[in-house]
Amino acid sequence: MDTNDSLRVASLWHSMHAISQQLSLTTGCSKIELLEGNTFDLHCFQSLTGTKFFVVCKLGTQHMEALLKVVYELYTDYVLKNPFYEMKMPIRCEVFDINLTQTVQKDRVALLGR
Amino acid sequence: MPPAAPRSGDAIFASVERVNAELFTLTYGAIVRQLLTDLEEVEEVNKQLDQMGYNIGIRLIDEFLAKSNVSRCVDFKETAEMIAKVGFKMFLGVTASVMNWDADGTCCSIVLEDNPLVDFVELPDTCQGLYYCNILSGVIRGALEMVAMKTEVTWIRDMLRGDDAYELQVKLLKQVPEEYPYKDDE
């Protein structure tokens, strides 16, 4: 996926998330945490600052909330602390990408044993 | 999976990598000195320190939220307690306390027991209007703005100006929940 595709998916999700808040029948419900599709699951975590982290994975994958929490910590370390990163712009921080890939790899090894 | 419990300021402070305190104090001092040289006016320096603090605060808030696992605060009183007990402890290693609440619970004072920024500092006569630690007021203002609160943060007492403690007044101006630019069908 290139940057434009990522932006398209992210903005689609952002809008759906916002609309769902308006449609929600349960009072006090503020966000979508899990979307179960036919062929994939989408887990979403929203921080108190409004930044959303979401992951698209195979049906039934476990522990995605924990993964999202770890990604949030990586974001606060490698992206926000980079003085040259402009807020709300696409993230082009190499160290963040490397650490993110390592985390996902570690997760995969732990869950699937490979 | 049950949500993780919020962590105490002490626990987080103990778990992060730390830097030599004197290096930190010297670096901050160098920043203030350079600003005084570049801007010359004490008021301008105060404003610039506040702006720098603001830019730090808008980024620091996410780290605070990620590391401390706190949930949304119920009211401004809880917010102030969080800043004093967890925030200051986590980032500066200092204990702070909250006092002097007003009647509606929108204005309070945060008193710092000690302040690593000002070790070894004495203000000369030429800098009497300077709020040396003004970066802290910017940090709090920036951080709270990112969680939907517009605040005004000012120094009430400053030991470098002869007072007996460091006291910051934090006043909640208004809550600004995120708005989506969707127009309802007319």
Side-chain angles (χ1 to χ4, degrees):
Chain A
M1 266 176 86
D2 70 354
T3 321
N4 282 335
D5 288 335
S6 312
L7 283 173
R8 211 168 288 134
V9 173
S11 49
L12 196 65
W13 177 246
H14 174 72
S15 315
M16 274 181 64
H17 196 276
I19 294 172
S20 74
Q21 283 180 25
Q22 310 252 336
L23 291 176
S24 167
L25 296 168
T26 346
T27 45
C29 179
S30 62
K31 48 196 170 181
I32 303 180
E33 282 178 357
L34 171 61
L35 177 79
E36 284 170 335
N38 282 337
T39 49
F40 68 92
D41 279 348
L42 187 153
H43 293 258
C44 178
F45 166 72
Q46 184 177 33
S47 71
L48 291 173
T49 52
T51 314
K52 288 181 269 296
F53 296 85
F54 68 91
V55 61
V56 180
C57 54
K58 243 168 59 164
L59 280 175
T61 320
Q62 299 294 310
H63 308 303
M64 288 291 106
E65 293 93 45
L67 176 67
L68 285 171
K69 274 265 150 86
V70 175
V71 175
Y72 185 34
E73 283 194 35
L74 291 179
Y75 169 73
T76 64
D77 282 338
Y78 298 110
V79 178
L80 291 182
K81 289 188 190 150
N82 181 348
F84 298 109
Y85 166 69
E86 276 177 58
M87 300 279 287
K88 308 193 187 193
M89 288 285 119
I91 297 171
R92 291 186 212 289
C93 305
E94 216 181 289
V95 195
F96 175 69
D97 292 332
I98 294 174
N99 276 280
L100 188 60
T101 323
Q102 275 177 3
T103 308
V104 173
Q105 275 301 94
K106 239 191 339 198
D107 212 51
R108 205 199 259 161
V109 168
L111 295 177
L112 306 173
R114 59 177 148 92
Chain B
M1 218 171 70
R7 297 168 67 194
S8 76
D10 285 306
I12 308 167
F13 187 65
S15 68
V16 295
E17 274 178 38
R18 274 160 282 172
V19 75
N20 181 305
E22 287 179 16
L23 177 62
F24 177 64
T25 308
L26 282 174
T27 307
Y28 185 69
I31 292 174
V32 178
R33 281 295 281 123
Q34 194 58 45
L35 283 173
L36 280 165
T37 311
D38 291 341
L39 302 171
E40 288 167 21
E41 291 269 331
V42 155
E43 259 321 299
E44 281 303 311
V45 176
N46 284 339
K47 259 200 271 185
Q48 193 70 317
L49 283 174
D50 185 77
Q51 185 57 36
M52 284 170 64
Y54 178 81
N55 292 333
I56 294 175
I58 58 178
R59 294 171 181 242
L60 209 63
I61 180 70
D62 271 313
E63 174 164 4
F64 173 78
L65 293 171
K67 295 228 158 83
S68 64
N69 268 329
V70 296
S71 46
R72 189 174 286 279
C73 290
V74 168
D75 57 14
F76 191 61
K77 291 204 164 156
E78 205 183 326
T79 307
E81 288 292 325
M82 276 291 138
I83 298 173
K85 298 282 177 266
V86 188
F88 271 101
K89 191 73 205 182
M90 198 171 136
F91 291 112
L92 288 179
V94 306
T95 327
S97 36
V98 187
M99 42 186 83
N100 299 341
W101 279 105
D102 72 344
D104 353 287
T106 55
C107 185
C108 67
S109 289
I110 296 182
V111 180
L112 302 179
E113 279 174 29
D114 75 298
N115 189 344
L117 294 174
V118 302
D119 288 340
F120 320 120
V121 176
E122 274 176 35
L123 277 189
D125 294 326
T126 48
C127 301
Q128 283 308 309
L130 182 67
Y131 286 111
Y132 188 83
C133 309
N134 219 26
I135 207 168
L136 294 178
S137 51
V139 171
I140 296 177
R141 187 171 63 90
L144 289 178
E145 196 165 304
M146 292 303 273
V147 279
M149 285 178 260
K150 234 180 150 52
T151 51
E152 198 179 271
V153 187
T154 41
W155 286 99
I156 303 282
R157 282 188 283 169
D158 186 337
M159 281 176 88
L160 291 179
R161 290 172 156 217
D163 298 313
D164 54 346
Y166 290 100
E167 186 179 333
L168 271 167
Q169 185 188 68
V170 185
K171 186 164 160 186
L172 176 67
L173 297 174
K174 60 175 175 168
Q175 305 258 19
V176 272
E178 198 176 330
E179 269 178 31
Y180 292 102
Y182 300 129
K183 279 210 285 257
D184 286 334
D185 290 330
E186 243 102 292

